[in-house]
Structure formats: structure tokens, C-alpha cells
Amino acid sequence: GQQLNQSPQSMFIQEGEDVSMNCTSSSIFNTWLWYKQDPGEGPVLLIALYKAGELTSNGRLTAQFGITRKDSFLNISASIPSDVGIYFCAGSATGNQFYFGTGTSLTVIP
Amino acid sequence: NAGVTQTPKFQVLKTGQSMTLQCAQDMNHEYMSWYRQDPGMGLRLIHYSVGAGITDQGEVPNGYNVSRSTTEDFPLRLLSAAPSQTSVYFCASSRSSGGYYEQYFGPGTRLTVT
């Protein structure tokens, strides 16, 4: 299957700090999605990206569709305790099959 | 709107038993998918459907069957459960219009096979 490398695997940060994570694939994608998952819940869609170079924000979250179409980046500014969770990237070339990264576990220390 | 709903939320099966995980969406989405999530791994695609009557295999289809008779429903069947199928199962749906594929997930079914 398609391999998506997501890094870092985990992050421990102080409240108020900025966070960056990224995802790379071995293939070109036409869609990148970023999700947050809380324990015992399903993933919740945060940001969707559809064009190379696209930069999209959702509140304190900003995501970018890499120019090569093989990577994507998510930034969280001024982290707060409720940002805690696991963040997943997902990519697709066709829209009907998405491949997921292994997740970045974020811990915010008050 | 309820979005994507899944039942049951929890299930315990014995090896060899069969069961169906239910998934329904009320967003009139054409695309629906089933994923499994195992510790330390991302979500892996089991089967997907691009519309009623059309299904296809994903990355890990063995041991699972699906059908899609209506736009709303996409059940996942385990014909003979095995311990390796212990996992959390998520159903997702997405629209397909205009090339914008925003995929939304249900709350999941936690399955344990003993």
C-alpha cells in the first residue's frame, strides 16, 4: 500500500508555543486532508487542500499543500490545552481512496 | 444533521462468528469507505464505494465483505471473525462534486474478537 510518513511521531510542548508537523508521500496527491482525533472518537476534519502551493487557515491552524504535491504541512499557533490529541494527514490522488499517516500525538503542558 | 452514524459502538465476538457493522450517512454523499485503525498505525482502507451498486477493495480487504444498495447505507460484514480483526472500525463518507473530497468520519465501532 501507499506509504505516508508523518513526523514527528509525538510532541510535548508548553502552552502558547507554536507547533509544526509534516507529511510526505512517495506518490503525487491531488488532495491533502488534515484531521484531529480525540480518544474514543472518530477523526474530525480540520483542513482540506486541493492545489499545489495552497495555504489554508482554520483559526490558529494553517496547512500547506507542498509544491511537489508529495508533501503537506500543518502548523498550530499559540497552542492551548484543548489542542491535545492525535493529528493525522491523509492524501489521495483520486478522491475515492485516501491514505493516512501514522499520526502525530500532541501533548500541551499548561 | 446526524452526519455519519455507526452501530454498534462496541462488540465482542468469538472466533468464527459473523456480524455486520452498520454505517449510514444523511449528507447524500456518493463516496463511502471503511477503515480500520490499529495501535500505532494510521487508518487503513478496507473497502470503498463510489456510488450505489459500486464497491471496490482497499488496502486490507481480506476477511471483509461490503455492499452498497442505497446511497445512505454501507454495511461491513465479517463472515468468520478472527482475532486479527480486533480493531476500531471507522466509516467515512465524502462528496465528489467539483473535485472537492472532504471526507467525514463516524464515531467508530470497537471490535474485539476472542
Side-chain angles (χ1 to χ4, degrees):
Chain A
Q2 178 64 254
Q3 295 283 335
L4 288 196
N5 295 312
Q6 187 172 348
S7 64
Q9 232 177 352
S10 61
M11 302 182 74
F12 294 82
I13 61 169
Q14 294 283 104
E15 183 177 355
E17 288 184 347
D18 296 344
V19 172
S20 293
M21 60 190 78
N22 69 80
C23 207
T24 60
S25 76
S26 55
S27 303
I28 289 175
F29 286 150
N30 291 320
T31 300
W32 283 98
L33 306 177
W34 283 93
Y35 290 89
K36 178 176 183 276
Q37 186 176 27
D38 293 325
E41 305 288 330
V44 174
L45 182 64
L46 299 173
I47 294 178
L49 302 160
Y50 299 103
K51 296 178 184 176
E54 180 181 358
L55 194 69
T56 298
S57 294
N58 178 5
R60 292 177 296 104
L61 279 63
T62 301
Q64 185 164 22
F65 194 135
I67 292 292
T68 66
R69 295 168 64 192
K70 292 185 176 182
D71 53 9
S72 182
F73 310 88
L74 177 69
N75 295 312
I76 305 172
S77 62
S79 59
I80 59 178
S82 62
D83 290 334
V84 166
I86 301 179
Y87 292 79
F88 289 99
C89 61
S92 177
T94 59
N96 52 23
Q97 289 195 70
F98 277 90
Y99 298 94
F100 279 75
T102 50
T104 294
S105 176
L106 179 63
T107 300
V108 179
I109 303 166
Chain B
N1 281 346
V4 181
T5 57
Q6 292 183 239
T7 55
K9 197 162 178 62
F10 300 95
Q11 182 71 49
V12 178
L13 291 178
K14 294 188 186 305
T15 297
Q17 286 185 319
S18 63
M19 80 159 296
T20 299
L21 280 63
Q22 302 292 343
C23 174
Q25 54 94 5
D26 62 0
M27 297 176 281
N28 201 30
H29 285 170
E30 292 178 358
Y31 291 1
M32 295 186 75
S33 304
W34 276 103
Y35 295 86
R36 62 177 288 172
Q37 185 175 37
D38 300 299
M41 304 183 74
L43 289 89
R44 291 182 294 168
L45 183 64
I46 303 172
H47 285 285
Y48 65 97
S49 169
V50 298
I54 306 169
T55 64
D56 207 344
Q57 296 182 349
E59 194 180 353
V60 288
N62 292 341
Y64 308 95
N65 281 349
V66 292
S67 60
R68 182 112 178 259
S69 56
T70 67
T71 299
E72 294 78 20
D73 301 299
F74 190 42
L76 178 72
R77 281 182 288 277
L78 284 73
L79 297 180
S80 178
S84 61
Q85 293 178 306
T86 293
S87 188
V88 182
Y89 291 84
F90 289 100
C91 179
S93 75
S94 62
R95 58 176 176 150
S96 61
S97 60
Y100 296 100
Y101 307 107
E102 295 175 358
Q103 185 171 222
Y104 297 93
F105 282 82
T109 294
R110 292 184 175 272
L111 175 68
T112 302
V113 183
T114 61

